[in-house]
Amino acid sequence: MSAPHNRRSIFLGRMSLPERNFIADALRAETVGGVLLLVAAVVALLWANILGDSYESVRGFHLGIGSIGLDLSLQHWAADGLLAVFFFVAGIELKRELVAGDLREPKKAALPVVAALCGMAMPALVYFVVNTVGGGSMDGWAVPTATDIAFALAVLAVIGTSLPSALRAFLLTLAVVDDLFAILIIAVFFTSQLNFLALGFAVAGLAVFYLLLRKGVRGWYIYVPLALVIWGLMYNSGIHATIAGVAMGLMLRCHRRDGEEQSPGEHIEHLVRPVSAGLAVPLFALFSAGVSISGSALHDVFTKPETLGVVLGLVVGKALGIFGGTWCAARFTRAELNPDLRWPDLFAVASLAGIGFTVSLLIGELAFTDDPLLTDEIKAAVLTGSLIAAVLSGILLKIRNAKYKKLCEDEDRDEDQDGIPDVYELGNPEYHLRMAKLLEAKAAEHRRLAEVASGANAGDDGPA
C-alpha cells in the first residue's frame, strides 16, 4: 500500500460548492458579454467594409480637455478608458483567485500558472520563429499571447456546447493568470517615455485609495472621482492607463469575514462586471475591430511574416503551449487527471484559448503605433486566428459534447430539491434519509397509480 504522502492529487476534479457557484455566476456574465462582444465585432467589420469613411470619422472623432492631456479620439477613449474598467475587474478576479480561489494553494496554482506561462511563451516563440525566417518585425511578438475568456465563452454559447464546471473553471483561472502577464507585458514593454511627476501623483492617489479602503470608508462618490483622477494621472505618466484599473482592483479585499455573504471585492465585481462585459469591452471591439477585409488583405494575412506569426501563434502556439505545459506540470507534480475527462478534452480547451481578441487587439495597436497599415493587418490577423481557433476548438468540443452534457447533468442533479446538487451531499446522512423518503413516496405513488389502472381494467371487463 502506498504511503499517504505519495497519493496523487486529482487535476480538474470537483470544486467546492461555493467556488462552483461563484464561477458559474461569473461565467454566466462573461458569456452574455461575450455574445455582445461578438455582435460588436461583426458590426465593426460590416461598418468598416460598407461605410468605411464614416467608420473612420466616428472612431477618429476627438473628445476631451487638451490642457490636461486628455484630448483623445473615441478609439483611444475606448482602448485607454473603457478597457481600464475591464482590467479593474481582471484585477479583482486575480485578487480573489489569490486569496480564495485555486491560486491560494501553491500545489493547485502550479498547473494553471504553468499552463498560462507556456500558453504565452509558445505563441511568442512561434511568432519569433516565423519572423526570423521571414525577415519580419519582432515588435508584434506579444500580440498572440493573450486569451479572451468572454469571446471563448461566447463561442461555447453559439455552438451550444456543454462544458463541465472543472474545465470552465480551468479556462477562467487560465484567463485570469493570462491577463496578469498581459498587464505586465503592457507595463514593461509598451512604456517608452515616463512623466515621473504624473507617475508620482498617480502612485500617491493609489496610496490614498488603499488607505480609504483599509479605513473602511464607503461611498461611490468618493472612490469614483478618485479613480478617474488616478486614471488620468496614469495616462499622462506614459504608462498605459489600464494599469491603474488593475492596481485598484488588486487593492480590494476579496476574502470574507465572519457573517459576510460577499467580500467587498466580490460585491463590487458583481456591480462592475456587467458594465465591463456589456459596455466597455463591446465598445472597444466596435472601435478597434473594424478592418477592411478583401481578397488581397486575407492573402497578406497568410503571406506577411508579422501577420502569419500572429495567426500561427494563436492557433498553434496557444494550443501546444497550454496543453504541453499542463501535461508536463501534471507529470511533474504527480497529478492525475479527473477520470471523467480525457487529455483530448484539455487540448480542446487549450485550442479555445487561442481566441485572443480583446487584449490581442490592444497590444497590436500598441506594438505598431507608427504604422497604421500594419496595425490594421495585425488586427485582421488577430480576427483570422481567433476565428480559426474558434472553429477548431468548436469541432473538438462538439465531438465530446454528449459526454459533457451527461457530466453537466450529473453535476446539476438535485433529486431532493434542496438547492444543493446531489454530488455534494453523498456523504451526508440527512441527504440519504431525505432520498429514502423521496423514493418511498415515489414507490407509493406508483402503487396507487397501478391500483387505479387495475381497477379501471377490471371495470372494462365488467358487465358489457
Side-chain angles (χ1 to χ4, degrees):
M1 181 181 289
S2 301
H5 64 272
N6 289 331
R7 212 173 141 194
R8 305 186 77 174
S9 60
I10 299 296
F11 170 49
L12 294 179
R14 188 185 308 150
M15 297 172 290
S16 67
L17 184 58
E19 184 71 6
R20 177 183 181 275
N21 292 339
F22 178 85
I23 287 175
D25 290 340
L27 293 179
R28 197 174 297 115
E30 290 286 2
T31 301
V32 174
V35 173
L36 293 175
L37 175 62
L38 187 58
V39 171
V42 172
V43 170
L45 287 170
L46 292 174
W47 190 1
N49 285 276
I50 296 174
L51 300 168
D53 291 339
S54 71
Y55 179 76
E56 291 298 333
S57 298
V58 170
R59 76 172 178 176
F61 183 75
H62 274 246
L63 288 171
I65 305 171
S67 59
I68 59 173
L70 293 176
D71 182 19
L72 309 177
S73 67
L74 289 180
Q75 182 179 4
H76 279 103
W77 275 115
D80 293 270
L82 291 177
L83 277 195
V85 179
F86 166 78
F87 279 109
F88 174 69
V89 173
I92 299 175
E93 288 178 337
L94 177 61
K95 179 67 173 290
R96 189 192 169 279
E97 285 291 327
L98 289 170
V99 301
D102 283 346
L103 298 183
R104 76 185 186 280
E105 298 178 28
K107 193 170 183 180
K108 283 188 177 180
L111 285 165
V113 169
V114 169
L117 282 172
C118 293
M120 298 186 84
M122 185 60 76
L125 179 61
V126 169
Y127 182 93
F128 180 81
V129 170
V130 171
N131 282 270
T132 298
V133 173
S137 169
M138 296 298 174
D139 293 342
W141 65 271
V143 176
T145 60
T147 293
D148 193 317
I149 180 67
F151 216 132
L153 293 171
V155 170
L156 293 178
V158 169
I159 64 177
T161 299
S162 303
L163 201 62
S165 58
L167 286 175
R168 287 177 178 264
F170 177 74
L171 183 60
L172 179 61
T173 305
L174 189 74
V176 169
V177 180
D178 192 288
D179 284 342
L180 169 64
F181 289 109
I183 291 158
L184 292 175
I185 287 172
I186 291 170
V188 174
F189 295 98
F190 296 103
T191 300
S192 53
Q193 294 181 337
L194 281 176
N195 180 332
F196 288 100
L197 181 62
L199 180 59
F201 279 118
V203 172
L206 287 170
V208 172
F209 189 89
Y210 178 80
L211 288 174
L212 290 173
L213 288 172
R214 288 299 165 268
K215 292 292 184 182
V217 176
R218 301 192 175 202
W220 65 268
Y221 46 84
I222 296 174
Y223 290 103
V224 172
L226 178 58
L228 291 174
V229 170
I230 293 169
W231 174 86
L233 288 167
M234 191 68 75
Y235 178 84
N236 280 284
S237 74
I239 295 176
H240 201 269
T242 53
I243 304 301
V246 178
M248 287 183 277
L250 285 170
M251 290 179 183
L252 294 173
R253 177 169 63 83
C254 292
H255 62 274
R256 299 178 188 179
R257 292 175 179 166
D258 291 342
E260 284 186 338
E261 291 186 7
Q262 283 185 318
S263 66
E266 290 171 327
H267 175 66
I268 293 172
E269 182 187 14
H270 181 73
L271 294 175
V272 179
R273 185 185 288 277
V275 178
S276 170
L279 180 67
V281 176
L283 280 177
F284 168 75
L286 181 65
F287 291 125
S288 292
V291 293
S292 297
I293 302 296
S294 62
S296 59
L298 290 175
H299 177 266
D300 288 343
V301 165
F302 292 100
T303 53
K304 282 193 172 183
E306 295 90 349
T307 50
L308 181 61
V310 169
V311 172
L312 292 179
L314 288 171
V315 177
V316 178
K318 270 288 180 185
L320 292 181
I322 292 172
F323 179 80
T326 307
W327 188 84
C328 291
R331 295 277 292 183
F332 181 75
T333 59
R334 295 180 56 80
E336 283 186 352
L337 185 65
N338 182 343
D340 290 329
L341 299 172
R342 299 288 181 270
W343 283 106
D345 298 325
L346 191 74
F347 185 81
V349 171
S351 301
L352 189 65
I355 300 172
F357 191 77
T358 304
V359 181
S360 290
L361 289 177
L362 175 62
I363 294 177
E365 290 181 0
L366 297 174
F368 299 102
T369 305
D370 299 328
D371 191 342
L373 178 59
L374 186 54
T375 299
D376 279 351
E377 290 172 341
I378 289 292
K379 288 181 179 180
V382 170
L383 294 172
T384 304
S386 297
L387 178 62
I388 294 172
V391 171
L392 289 177
S393 60
I395 292 171
L396 293 174
L397 291 169
K398 269 294 187 184
I399 292 172
R400 292 267 289 166
N401 192 45
K403 175 67 174 177
Y404 296 154
K405 191 172 181 181
K406 184 179 182 306
L407 288 174
C408 289
E409 288 173 352
D410 292 341
E411 288 177 357
D412 295 333
R413 185 174 292 113
D414 184 15
E415 292 284 354
D416 59 346
Q417 298 181 344
D418 64 344
I420 301 175
D422 296 340
V423 292
Y424 289 93
E425 297 189 287
L426 293 179
N428 182 359
E430 292 183 4
Y431 164 75
H432 291 289
L433 182 60
R434 286 197 303 270
M435 286 302 297
K437 289 180 178 179
L438 183 64
L439 291 172
E440 186 179 337
K442 285 184 177 180
E445 180 66 14
H446 287 156
R447 286 196 299 271
R448 187 185 68 79
L449 291 174
E451 288 172 1
V452 170
S454 176
N457 290 335
D460 290 340
D461 295 336

